[in-house]
């Protein structure tokens, strides 16, 4: 499954961009966690649209999303093997209590699903780093969240925000070189670890994520602005699929692992 799970969302987003879903609704029962995160950011229920497309949260995972994202403050919601962290749209820094509850639950449930402890620790660290990145790179997004869905031998982890996107992140400092487009910006940020800061310790989230991918049967997808980037655990540029896609206003990182 893994990256093929995004095909339904890609087809939907292309149709929606051409106006074919105007005034209609879309069911969350059609999507696994990673694609669902992209769906929520793509449609952004907090952003007014001329012809809004309603998200129907008509599955267990969708219902948890709806309940958690309706909060106006940082909150951690969980049900069975799923967890969603809604980040506060006002406070820049992540709420430590809610974030720590999310990461601790993630680590514990990965262990209960028989993931090796070292891998569970690595993925939990990746999630924490990516959550922290929202405060640094996204601006003040009204909509941002992290989520996981774990089954024995299989897990989805995603971190998403409706901030100013990967191009906007580099544009925050015009004194630095600027990418030509979203595809180059994603390549800089994810593959080359080119931070918009001079601090060499930046960019650790993606380094850790890629380290985890190399050691597991894992896939990773990053979507921002008009670009998408996918890998099944590769370390070289040739191992990645980088392509132009329908505009998505924000940044979504999804990791799928099997063991």
């Amino acid at each position: 499954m893994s990256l093929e799970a995004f095909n339904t969302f890609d087809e939907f987003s292309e149709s929606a961009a051409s106006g074919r879903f105007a005034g209609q609704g879309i069911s969350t029962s059609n999507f696994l966690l990673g694609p669902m995160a992209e769906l929520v950011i793509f449609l952004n229920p907090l952003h007014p649209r001329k012809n809004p497309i309603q998200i129907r949260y008509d599955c267990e995972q969708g219902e948890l999303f709806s309940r958690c994202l309706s909060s106006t403050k940082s909150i951690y919601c969980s049900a069975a093997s799923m967890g969603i962290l809604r980040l506060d749209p006002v406070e820049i820094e992540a709420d430590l209590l809610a974030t720590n509850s999310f990461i601790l639950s993630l680590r514990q449930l990965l262990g209960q699903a028989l993931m090796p402890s070292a891998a569970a620790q690595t993925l939990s660290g990746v999630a924490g780093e990516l959550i922290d990145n929202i405060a640094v790179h996204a601006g003040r997004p009204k909509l941002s969240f992290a989520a996981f869905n774990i089954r024995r031998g299989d897990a989805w982890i995603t971190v998403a925000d409706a901030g100013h996107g990967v191009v906007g992140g580099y544009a925050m400092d015009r004194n630095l070189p600027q990418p030509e487009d979203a595809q180059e910006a994603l390549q800089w940020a994810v593959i080359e670890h080119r931070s918009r800061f001079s601090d060499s310790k930046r960019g650790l989230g993606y380094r850790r994520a890629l380290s985890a991918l190399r050691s597991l049967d894992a896939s990773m997808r990053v979507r921002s602005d008009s670009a998408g980037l996918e890998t099944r655990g590769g370390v070289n540029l040739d191992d990645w699929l980088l392509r132009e896609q329908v505009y998505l206003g924000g940044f979504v990182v999804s990791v799928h692992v099997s063991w």
Side-chain angles (χ1 to χ4, degrees):
M1 182 61 72
S2 61
L3 296 177
E4 288 76 13
F6 291 94
N7 292 343
T8 300
F9 170 74
D10 288 341
E11 293 171 0
F12 162 76
S13 61
E14 291 175 2
S15 296
S18 66
R20 278 180 279 176
F21 272 82
Q24 300 183 41
I26 183 71
S27 169
T28 55
S29 63
N30 297 323
F31 303 96
L32 296 177
L33 179 60
M36 186 183 295
E38 293 189 13
L39 174 74
V40 172
I41 295 299
F42 176 69
L43 295 181
N44 192 353
L46 300 183
H47 181 71
R49 285 172 169 258
K50 183 177 180 180
N51 296 302
I53 300 174
Q54 181 183 9
I55 303 175
R56 297 196 300 269
Y57 298 100
D58 50 0
C59 63
E60 183 180 14
Q61 183 173 252
E63 290 174 358
L64 186 63
F65 254 91
S66 179
R67 175 161 60 90
C68 195
L69 298 185
S70 64
S71 173
T72 58
K73 295 184 178 181
S74 182
I75 186 174
Y76 170 58
C77 305
S78 61
S81 59
M82 298 180 291
I84 301 175
L85 170 66
R86 167 72 158 105
L87 297 172
D88 194 310
V90 177
E91 296 294 331
I92 297 178
E93 299 297 333
D95 180 277
L96 289 180
L97 180 59
T99 301
N100 288 342
S101 295
F102 174 88
I103 294 174
L104 180 60
S105 294
L106 170 60
R107 188 181 307 154
Q108 290 177 337
L109 288 169
L110 286 171
Q112 291 174 14
L114 304 182
M115 172 176 272
S117 59
Q121 180 72 27
T122 298
L123 285 176
S124 300
V126 167
E129 185 77 23
L130 295 176
I131 291 169
D132 290 342
N133 278 354
I134 292 177
V136 177
H137 298 291
R140 291 178 178 269
K142 293 182 179 180
L143 176 61
S144 56
F145 57 88
F148 62 77
N149 194 345
I150 301 169
R151 296 181 176 86
R152 180 164 296 190
D154 181 273
W156 281 94
I157 301 171
T158 187
V159 178
D161 69 77
H164 45 47
V166 66
V167 174
Y170 284 107
M172 292 177 70
D173 189 345
R174 288 293 183 179
N175 294 320
L176 295 176
Q178 297 295 307
E180 292 186 3
D181 53 27
Q183 292 181 63
E184 184 173 54
L186 274 188
Q187 180 176 321
W188 284 8
V190 180
I191 302 175
E192 300 178 15
H193 315 300
R194 291 175 61 171
S195 172
R196 64 182 180 86
F197 300 101
S198 59
D199 186 352
S200 62
K201 294 182 180 180
R202 299 286 187 174
L204 293 179
Y206 296 120
R207 287 192 177 98
R208 290 172 180 165
L210 297 180
S211 176
L213 290 175
R214 288 194 296 270
S215 62
L216 298 168
D217 179 13
S219 302
M220 180 179 184
R221 166 148 148 157
V222 185
R223 282 282 282 109
S224 185
D225 299 333
S226 57
L229 185 61
E230 300 174 357
T231 183
R232 298 183 188 275
V235 297
N236 301 312
L237 182 58
D238 292 342
D239 298 318
W240 294 80
L241 173 61
L242 177 63
R243 56 183 166 141
E244 183 178 2
Q245 292 191 277
V246 173
Y247 182 82
L248 180 152
F251 202 98
V252 185
V253 183
S254 296
V255 175
H256 177 253
V257 296
S258 300
W259 62 92

